[in-house]
Amino acid sequence: MAKKKGLISRFIEGPERSETYAMSTLPTNRWQLGWDVFKGNISKMIGLNLLTLLFMLPLIFLLVLRYFNGIAYSITLPLGQNFAGGYPFYPSSVGLEAEVGYYVNRQFFLWLILAVLVAAIGVSGGFYVMKNLVWTESVMVGSDFFKGVKQNYFVVMFSLLIYSVLLALLVLSINLSMVLIARNEGIRWLLIIQQAISYILIFFFTIAVLFMITLGITYKLKFRALIKNSLLFTVGLLPLNVFFAAFAAVLFLLFFIGVSFLTMLAVLLCLFFGFSLFMLIWMNYSQWAFDRFINDKVPGAKKNRGIYKPTAEENVELTVEKSKYAGKHIKPITDYEMEVYELPTSFSRKDLQRLEESKEAIRRDRDKYEEEQAKLDSSADQVIEELYKNDSAKNEDK
């Protein structure tokens, strides 16, 4: 049962709608919910993105530095040059480019740990705010962001640290296999298979850490259970995971197309929506997965938060409630003399009395309109009945 309003609230706000009627206006599926959250919270999405971006700056700086280090080494080292002459002299260039890639990535991963410690602040706060938005709860971006950091920082931090270590091992193994292939050392086809498996594992662990983050923010789980459930979701929903991971990262993928216009557009869009849109899509998808596989097994857990899934009893109640208004005549809004008295900032008992008098006048006017329409309906029914009788009499005479 919906909780009744207090006397003063009903006095000022008017009659309340039932909870079922209000719930019926919510989205009925996750796609509608995601769109409603985005279009109804543009300013919050931008604010959340900028706040998250602030704590991502060390990681972004490292990525940019890694990129320019690669360019610098390619310029200073004689990669692809003619070695017949020139200075400096390198005795052998075989595998040199692959070694440079290994060295640049090794330096990057040594500093990545520090960047991850800072990035975990933005991830834990950002995903917590997005969870509340997806649950259609009231959100204050600033205060809720740091509340999420306080509650979820360590879970997110340890998840990202584990992922960083696994990512470093896999990327460096790819670089080492490239060095061996360039030097014609080892079995070539085995090294190629090893690279392919490493790329698959990188994607696999990326999906797993995303589920670890959303699971850790949504539920209070032990770390072992967190890892186990995230791996189960990663394997069990593999085709959907591929689609939604790409869908969530669509703005970031624009960087890899190689068109200058799209790169500039990606920078602009990511500045305002990149991280927040990614978190919205992935959190919304994760909540769907949790509703399907977890929430029925968790005591007290609520399913379909933010969307409306009516039961059979609610359908009957909603139909009955709507039917109360189906046969009523609604007066057109053309009478500008009938207005609700607006309360001033500092109002007195007299102002409340004027408010009630204006509302009472509107009620009387409404009732009068309904009575007039009822009389017209009754007259029309009588005319129709007389015409029917006349037609029946004529048919009998014939």
Side-chain angles (χ1 to χ4, degrees):
M1 294 293 292
K3 185 178 179 180
K4 296 295 183 181
K5 292 182 181 179
L7 178 62
I8 300 300
S9 298
R10 292 201 303 271
F11 183 72
I12 295 176
E13 299 176 16
E16 61 182 330
R17 290 180 177 178
S18 75
E19 183 179 354
T20 303
Y21 190 83
M23 287 289 290
S24 67
T25 62
L26 292 176
T28 57
N29 57 62
R30 288 287 170 187
W31 291 101
Q32 292 179 7
L33 174 62
W35 174 241
D36 280 4
V37 171
F38 179 78
K39 71 178 181 180
N41 299 277
I42 295 293
S43 60
K44 291 180 180 179
M45 293 281 290
I46 295 174
L48 180 61
N49 192 78
L50 294 175
L51 195 54
T52 306
L53 179 63
L54 177 65
F55 295 98
M56 289 291 184
L57 288 178
L59 180 58
I60 295 173
F61 173 76
L62 272 183
L63 290 170
V64 173
L65 185 62
R66 175 187 175 279
Y67 172 75
F68 283 109
N69 277 343
I71 294 178
Y73 280 115
S74 66
I75 294 174
T76 56
L77 295 177
L79 303 176
Q81 298 180 13
N82 185 0
F83 294 98
Y87 180 83
F89 173 72
Y90 291 88
S92 175
S93 64
V94 176
L96 183 60
E97 185 175 2
E99 288 183 11
V100 168
Y102 171 78
Y103 177 77
V104 170
N105 283 330
R106 188 180 66 181
Q107 294 297 111
F108 169 76
F109 285 115
L110 287 175
W111 290 100
L112 181 63
I113 302 298
L114 295 178
V116 164
L117 296 178
V118 180
I121 300 175
V123 174
S124 57
F127 269 101
Y128 177 80
V129 173
M130 192 54 65
K131 180 199 72 172
N132 291 338
L133 284 175
V134 170
W135 284 1
T136 63
E137 294 183 355
S138 178
V139 168
M140 298 291 292
V141 173
S143 60
D144 285 345
F145 181 90
F146 290 104
K147 182 180 178 182
V149 174
K150 182 178 179 181
Q151 293 182 3
N152 306 295
Y153 175 74
F154 289 103
V155 172
V156 173
M157 181 194 67
F158 284 119
S159 301
L160 292 178
L161 286 178
I162 292 173
Y163 174 69
S164 300
V165 172
L166 293 173
L167 183 65
L169 293 175
L170 291 169
V171 171
L172 293 178
S173 71
I174 292 172
N175 291 141
L176 287 174
S177 64
M178 293 173 66
V179 172
L180 295 175
I181 291 174
R183 293 178 176 178
N184 289 323
E185 298 178 4
I187 303 175
R188 183 182 180 84
W189 65 272
L190 283 178
L191 293 172
I192 294 174
I193 292 176
Q194 181 263 329
Q195 288 185 36
I197 293 174
S198 296
Y199 281 118
I200 293 172
L201 288 176
I202 288 173
F203 177 79
F204 180 86
F205 289 130
T206 301
I207 299 298
V209 76
L210 289 174
F211 273 118
M212 286 180 69
I213 292 170
T214 51
L215 277 167
I217 290 175
T218 306
Y219 307 98
K220 299 299 180 183
L221 298 173
K222 294 182 179 179
F223 210 72
R224 182 177 178 181
L226 191 65
I227 295 175
K228 177 184 176 182
N229 286 314
S230 64
L231 293 176
L232 289 174
F233 276 115
T234 304
V235 175
L237 298 173
L238 189 58
L240 288 175
N241 293 336
V242 174
F243 172 78
F244 280 102
F247 184 38
V250 64
L251 295 183
F252 297 103
L253 295 177
L254 292 177
F255 285 104
F256 300 97
I257 296 179
V259 180
S260 58
F261 167 74
L262 291 179
T263 302
M264 294 301 297
L265 180 63
V267 171
L268 185 62
L269 291 175
C270 288
L271 178 63
F272 293 105
F273 295 107
F275 294 106
S276 59
L277 184 62
F278 181 92
M279 290 185 290
L280 170 59
I281 294 173
W282 191 261
M283 179 59 77
N284 194 22
Y285 167 61
S286 298
Q287 294 302 315
W288 168 83
F290 301 159
D291 281 341
R292 185 173 180 182
F293 298 104
I294 291 183
N295 288 335
D296 286 332
K297 304 174 184 177
V298 177
K302 296 181 179 179
K303 290 187 64 174
N304 301 317
R305 298 187 68 161
I307 60 177
Y308 181 59
K309 294 289 187 182
T311 62
E313 293 180 358
E314 289 173 338
N315 276 327
V316 172
E317 183 181 347
L318 184 59
T319 303
V320 171
E321 183 169 357
K322 288 184 176 180
S323 68
K324 293 190 297 184
Y325 303 96
K328 287 193 174 184
H329 293 282
I330 306 300
K331 183 178 181 181
I333 306 175
T334 56
D335 192 352
Y336 297 101
E337 295 179 359
M338 307 301 298
E339 296 181 354
V340 178
Y341 177 75
E342 294 185 6
L343 288 175
T345 305
S346 299
F347 57 87
S348 62
R349 185 183 296 273
K350 190 174 182 180
D351 292 315
L352 290 175
Q353 185 177 356
R354 289 180 181 176
L355 172 63
E356 181 59 26
E357 289 174 353
S358 66
K359 292 170 70 175
E360 183 61 31
I362 292 175
R363 293 190 196 102
R364 288 197 301 267
D365 185 67
R366 179 200 62 196
D367 294 340
K368 181 180 178 182
Y369 178 81
E370 290 179 357
E371 290 176 1
E372 292 175 351
Q373 293 300 316
K375 291 179 180 179
L376 290 175
D377 290 344
S378 178
S379 300
D381 290 340
Q382 291 177 2
V383 171
I384 292 172
E385 187 177 353
E386 289 294 332
L387 290 174
Y388 178 76
K389 288 180 179 179
N390 291 336
D391 288 339
S392 299
K394 289 179 180 179
N395 290 332
E396 287 179 0
D397 293 339
K398 290 181 179 180

